[in-house]
Amino acid sequence: MNKQNNNLLILILTIGVFGILTTEMGVIGILPAIAEQFDISVSRAGLLVSLFALVVAISGPIMPLLFSGINRRTVMLLVLGIFILGNIVSMFASNFTVLLIARVIPAFFHPIYCSLALTVAATSVSREEAPKAVSKVIMGVSAGMILGVPITNFIANQTSIQMSILFFAIVNIIAFLATLIFVPSLPVNERLSYGAQISVLKKPIVWLAIATVIFLNSGTSSINTFITEYLETITNISGNTLTFALFLLGVASLIGALLGGRMLSRNAVKTAITFPIVLGIVHLLSFITGKSIGPMMITILLWGILFAISNSVSQYWITNAAPEAPDFANGLFLSCGNIGVTIGTGIGGLIISGMGTQYIVLGGLLFLLLGLASIVLSRYMFSDRTERAAI
């Protein structure tokens, strides 16, 4: 496959993961409206997010493994088709139960596409260029997770909930048609047995990588999940200014995704070790800038960049701990990332209840320290040069 076709393939994969992640996270921007429409509490409407994430966490290591031997183009079309159908059913859901089911079923297939997209991007180029290719797909992940929220909220405010859900469907339809027309057959030439892939869990270095992914994602999620609450109560912004801040966070994440890939290509170990330290410093900056709109916008910009770099570092760290089973490793990345979101959100919520919104950065700092410790252990605990070279 030539460079032009590679670039087109990676672009289609990026659009695909953007559509899937926007379907998952974009609904956050319309939870109050959904609660009102179906006459339920916002906390119950939150099941649309929490249950989706739980299903992804559970199916993350399993589903990519089960589909790892099937032609990848076929799998991509299958998953995108399921998401399109789920979005259409969601648009016309007559009650909350139907809406919840229409989201949970696609959630089982979420890790398949995202894992496959990361694997295909990495294997479509040389080993040295793999982090850059993967970072472009990560850009779609970050955009879906962050930009999806204000986009969905904006569409719903201007039109209706149904139109915002239609946006999810349209993005997935674009990815489906692009895959159908432009992506060639992608057979799996060297199929690994399920046992061979699962056997990577016997390696202690893989478990350290799993811990790293969970800690780093907990460290970012403990802040990002409550970013709107933080900006409203601490920085005292709302309305258009708040929307601008959230868009700034999303745009910064796109920059961070590309920057993370370049940094990992140049020096992966240095990037991984430096990342939690730099993000910890930015967390501390929020204490200084939190109550001033101008300086806080700079902090938001840095948060967005580092959020995306976190995704790149996490994906690189775990897939390079188990290079012999890339699909399974990417599934673990997605599963552990969602576990980290759950833990970070829970701890952040406890800190807000017990200490106040301003102190959510403390939870982030704790998890970043744990992440740094696990990265350092991964680097220096194993004396075998070959195994260390993989990390």
Side-chain angles (χ1 to χ4, degrees):
M1 190 178 289
N2 59 42
K3 185 175 180 180
Q4 184 176 358
N5 288 337
N6 269 345
N7 290 336
L8 178 60
L9 174 61
I10 292 172
L11 174 62
I12 292 170
L13 294 171
T14 303
I15 295 170
V17 295
F18 172 70
I20 287 174
L21 267 296
T22 299
T23 299
E24 177 185 5
M25 304 301 293
V27 74
I28 291 174
I30 55 174
L31 282 182
I34 289 174
E36 182 179 351
Q37 176 171 320
F38 292 105
D39 195 23
I40 58 175
S41 65
V42 174
S43 60
R44 189 182 176 199
L47 288 172
L48 296 171
V49 179
S50 59
L51 198 55
F52 195 111
L54 179 60
V55 169
V56 172
I58 294 171
S59 63
I62 302 169
M63 295 295 279
L65 189 67
L66 294 178
F67 283 78
S68 60
I70 303 174
N71 187 296
R72 286 167 172 166
R73 178 178 180 269
T74 302
V75 175
M76 290 162 65
L77 291 171
L78 171 66
V79 176
L80 290 169
I82 290 171
F83 266 79
I84 292 167
L85 182 60
N87 287 326
I88 292 173
V89 173
S90 296
M91 282 181 62
F92 300 102
S94 57
N95 58 67
F96 182 72
T97 301
V98 172
L99 178 60
L100 192 59
I101 293 172
R103 280 182 58 80
V104 167
I105 292 176
F108 282 100
F109 294 85
H110 171 296
I112 300 173
Y113 187 94
C114 292
S115 172
L116 179 152
L118 294 167
T119 300
V120 171
T123 55
S124 66
V125 295
S126 66
R127 182 178 176 85
E128 293 74 22
E129 293 295 311
K132 291 182 182 179
V134 169
S135 71
K136 293 175 182 177
V137 177
I138 292 286
M139 183 169 67
V141 174
S142 300
M145 294 182 73
I146 298 181
L147 275 178
V149 176
I151 290 174
T152 306
N153 178 265
F154 175 79
I155 293 173
N157 287 337
Q158 298 300 314
T159 56
S160 66
I161 294 175
Q162 285 71 28
M163 289 299 101
S164 63
I165 296 175
L166 177 62
F167 169 71
F168 305 158
I170 289 172
V171 178
N172 286 306
I173 288 170
I174 291 171
F176 182 92
L177 292 176
T179 302
L180 187 65
I181 297 169
F182 298 110
V183 176
S185 177
L186 297 170
V188 179
N189 298 320
E190 297 181 11
R191 180 176 179 179
L192 291 175
S193 68
Y194 297 151
Q197 295 185 70
I198 295 173
S199 66
V200 301
L201 293 175
K202 295 178 181 178
K203 299 166 60 177
I205 201 168
V206 172
W207 287 100
L208 274 174
I210 287 172
T212 299
V213 175
I214 292 174
F215 289 144
L216 292 184
N217 278 271
S218 297
T220 54
S221 296
S222 61
I223 308 294
N224 287 335
T225 303
F226 302 102
I227 185 67
T228 301
E229 171 74 11
Y230 190 93
L231 293 173
E232 286 180 340
T233 58
I234 304 301
T235 316
N236 291 318
I237 62 175
S238 59
N240 292 334
T241 306
L242 177 59
T243 301
F244 172 76
L246 293 175
F247 269 108
L248 180 64
L249 186 73
V251 172
S253 73
L254 303 184
I255 298 170
L258 295 176
L259 185 61
R262 293 182 182 278
M263 292 168 65
L264 287 166
S265 293
R266 291 175 182 173
N267 194 320
V269 173
K270 184 178 179 180
T271 299
I273 292 175
T274 304
F275 165 74
I277 297 172
V278 174
L279 182 55
I281 293 171
V282 173
H283 281 355
L284 291 174
L285 272 178
S286 67
F287 277 111
I288 302 171
T289 63
K291 295 183 179 180
S292 303
I293 296 178
M296 188 59 197
M297 289 297 178
I298 297 174
T299 302
I300 290 170
L301 181 67
L302 295 174
W303 266 346
I305 291 172
L306 292 166
F307 171 81
I309 292 177
S310 174
N311 285 331
S312 297
V313 169
S314 295
Q315 190 275 340
Y316 180 92
W317 207 248
I318 198 165
T319 53
N320 279 270
E324 64 273 41
D327 289 324
F328 183 59
N330 278 316
L332 287 174
F333 160 66
L334 295 166
S335 178
C336 295
N338 277 272
I339 291 172
V341 170
T342 302
I343 294 173
T345 300
I347 296 298
L350 289 174
I351 291 175
I352 289 174
S353 300
M355 302 175 65
T357 303
Q358 185 176 4
Y359 296 97
I360 56 173
V361 294
L362 297 179
L365 287 171
L366 171 62
F367 287 121
L368 289 173
L369 285 173
L370 292 171
L372 178 61
S374 62
I375 289 170
V376 172
L377 278 174
S378 296
R379 181 68 180 91
Y380 293 106
M381 185 176 172
F382 300 93
S383 57
D384 181 78
R385 290 185 178 181
T386 302
E387 191 166 16
R388 284 173 64 178
I391 291 291

